[in-house]
Amino acid sequence: MSGITDPVSDYLTRIRNGQQAGRKYVDIPASKQKRAITQILLDKGYIRSYLNVDDGKQGLIRVRLKYDVQGEPVIRMMKRVSTPGLRRYTGAHELPRVMNGLGIAILSTSRGMMTDKEARKAHIGGEVLAYLY
């Protein structure tokens, strides 16, 4: 029995692999955390849409990937920051700026998942999960 030790890293890897293969969508095992990250990606325009699929178990998130007019993925880079072995936390005044504000940092805060810009506006810090641009 093998379990996934880092679900966020697995999530990012599935999206990255789907984009490199030119897939229209990828299926990802669902969790509350992954649904929140997916909603952020949708709100910020990094994916087309997503659908919650009931498979009789934990469910799946079917993420429709987004490409530009040349067929290149909209998400150019995804980087996992905080890992299970080394957690990365930041205060409200030290929130990272990805690509000088062009990208986003996804944070897990006491008020739920949000981007660095939303956390800066709310004056709260948290665990920096990933960078995207």
Side-chain angles (χ1 to χ4, degrees):
M1 182 172 136
S2 69
I4 298 171
T5 58
D6 189 2
V8 175
S9 186
D10 178 63
Y11 175 90
L12 297 174
T13 300
R14 286 175 189 255
I15 290 178
R16 188 180 307 113
N17 289 346
Q19 287 180 332
Q20 287 177 348
R23 303 271 188 231
K24 291 190 184 294
Y25 66 88
V26 292
D27 288 337
I28 301 167
S31 73
K32 204 171 163 184
Q33 184 180 39
K34 292 177 191 175
R35 283 190 180 102
I37 294 171
T38 305
Q39 185 61 48
I40 289 172
L41 294 180
L42 179 67
D43 293 343
K44 299 302 173 190
Y46 287 106
I47 60 174
R48 283 196 188 282
S49 64
Y50 72 95
L51 179 68
N52 290 313
V53 179
D54 184 24
D55 66 349
K57 300 174 195 162
Q58 68 186 23
L60 294 172
I61 304 170
R62 181 163 289 161
V63 178
R64 287 196 58 217
L65 302 173
K66 190 173 183 179
Y67 300 92
D68 62 14
V69 292
Q70 289 88 18
E72 294 294 317
V74 172
I75 302 173
R76 303 280 183 215
M77 189 274 304
M78 291 183 287
K79 181 181 177 190
R80 180 76 159 115
V81 179
S82 184
T83 61
L86 182 61
R87 300 289 184 185
R88 302 280 183 175
Y89 296 96
T90 184
H93 300 291
E94 299 97 30
L95 289 168
R97 290 177 53 96
V98 181
M99 291 284 294
N100 205 18
L102 296 176
I104 63 169
I106 298 176
L107 282 86
S108 177
T109 69
S110 58
R111 296 186 195 163
M113 295 282 187
M114 61 180 68
T115 65
D116 57 326
K117 293 169 187 145
E118 294 165 346
R120 204 172 281 112
K121 192 173 184 180
H123 303 292
I124 57 173
E127 181 181 359
V128 182
L129 297 177
Y131 294 152
L132 278 94
Y133 67 83

